Amino acid sequence: MTAPGEAARRKPARRPTIKDIARRAGVSESAVSFALNDRPGVSQDTRARVRQVAQELGWQANSAARALSGDRAGCAGLVLARPAQTLGVESFFLQLVSGIQEVLSAQRTALLFQVVADLDAECALYRRWWAERRVDGVLVVDPRTQDPRPRLLASLGLPAVVVGGLAEPGPAVPEAAAGHPQLSTVWADDSKAMARVLDHLHGLGHRRIAHVAGLPGLAHTERRIHSLRTEAALRGLDEDHVRSVTTDYSDAEGAEATRRILDAAEPPTAIIYDNDVMAVAGASVAAERKIPVPDALSIVAWDDSALCRVTHPRLTALVRDTPGFGRLAARELLAVLDGGPPRTVQGELPHLEARESTGTP
């Protein structure tokens, strides 16, 4: 019988080496290296025999050694600098990562994902990954209005794709993020998405509209706030009756923001929430105050999810292919790693699906 603790003391099984393959195949170690790295210097028969032995032994290339030799590490990095408590309730990042992973795994590229406390820690992690050659490139999420990461990554020469726009909206660049000329960007048109939401609510007769936004300082948060004001002005809405408040995306802050908004002297007849979790929390606040939805309050969620579809009444929401957005970003990173030029690529525009939570005020 195995003594207590003996299993914990056992050494892990030794990984097969090039020397093991050479011994079994009856060739030199250099011949094995040539065969496994698809380099000239060995016959086709030897190459086939070496690869067959490597497969039988379960040999895999050492990613660290491969990186030191100048080859790829076979890994892409993704860092998230957000409050950890917001990750468990928001479905957006789970869907985004699922799309990214789908593309990377098909190319036998791993995804190294890490959550950090803040932007400084994220930048420090990029420097360490670059020094250790841990990743071939990175996907940068949550672009900021004042963002140090593009310049840092360009100075390191670490290939990157920024997921989301960096530039401020304006006449010359309405939404496309110019970002940094050495980095690719995959972006979504928040202005047109907000216009679709305002078209729907304004068409129903709403003139007092509130927006419960996400984290301040994020580029897409600022774009949505700016777009709400712009689109409201285009429709002749009084700026005093259209306003935004920022939160951390959580249900708790979404509910608290809803309470403050509804306590105003002239509460809104419609509220737009920057994610599904806050929209459901807002609907719960309306229910506890016996405010009928949509008769007295209309609710729109920026991101659709199962939560929006099972809540009663079902929530009107912007429907977009978030896994598809992740796939688009991953493909762009792989293209950059293959030597492609930096590009700005636009994701598909979400459509608004009207459900029972919006109606005439």
Side-chain angles (χ1 to χ4, degrees), residues 97-325:
V97 170
S98 71
I100 292 170
Q101 183 62 28
E102 181 181 340
V103 170
L104 295 183
S105 62
Q107 298 298 317
R108 301 188 68 181
T109 299
L111 179 64
L112 180 56
F113 176 68
Q114 192 158 339
V115 179
V116 295
D118 52 37
L119 213 55
D120 289 339
E122 181 175 345
C123 290
L125 187 59
Y126 289 145
R127 293 188 184 95
R128 192 172 85 231
W129 281 356
W130 171 79
E132 296 174 352
R133 302 188 183 184
R134 185 72 63 87
V135 298
D136 298 314
V138 295
L139 293 159
V140 181
V141 296
D142 283 345
R144 268 66 169 181
T145 50
Q146 300 293 326
D147 203 320
R149 295 172 297 174
R151 189 176 298 278
L152 169 65
L153 293 167
S155 69
L156 295 175
L158 185 59
V161 172
V162 178
V163 184
L166 281 165
E168 288 300 316
V173 188
E175 273 294 324
H180 196 284
Q182 297 182 42
L183 303 182
S184 285
T185 299
V186 175
W187 66 285
D189 196 332
D190 288 318
S191 289
K192 288 184 179 177
M194 183 63 81
R196 290 187 169 182
V197 175
L198 262 291
D199 279 342
H200 177 65
L201 294 176
H202 186 264
L204 290 171
H206 293 277
R207 301 296 181 264
R208 298 197 307 273
I209 301 170
H211 171 214
V212 179
L215 287 164
L218 296 185
H220 70 262
T221 299
E222 301 304 324
R223 281 198 306 274
R224 292 177 190 178
I225 292 173
H226 175 91
S227 299
L228 176 68
R229 293 171 181 163
T230 301
E231 296 298 329
L234 290 174
R235 291 160 179 78
L237 300 181
D238 187 341
E239 63 179 14
D240 292 334
H241 291 153
V242 179
R243 65 191 185 98
S244 300
V245 295
T246 56
T247 67
D248 67 357
Y249 288 109
S250 70
D251 56 333
E253 286 209 13
E256 181 55 33
T258 303
R259 294 186 184 98
R260 293 198 309 270
I261 288 169
L262 295 177
D263 285 339
E266 289 187 284
T269 60
I271 305 179
I272 305 164
Y273 293 87
D274 260 7
N275 70 5
D276 54 337
V277 173
M278 294 195 298
V280 172
S284 296
V285 170
E288 74 184 22
R289 295 191 173 197
K290 295 181 170 46
I291 298 173
V293 175
D295 293 341
L297 179 67
S298 286
I299 290 176
V300 177
W302 191 273
D303 286 322
D304 188 32
S305 73
L307 282 177
C308 298
R309 297 188 292 273
V310 300
T311 300
H312 181 73
R314 296 186 308 152
L315 302 185
T316 294
L318 278 170
V319 179
R320 58 178 168 175
D321 183 6
T322 303
F325 196 56

Side-chain angles (χ1 to χ4, degrees), residues 70-87:
D71 294 332
R72 288 190 187 178
C75 184
L78 174 61
V79 186
L80 191 59
R82 274 201 187 189
Q85 69 268 19
T86 67
L87 300 182

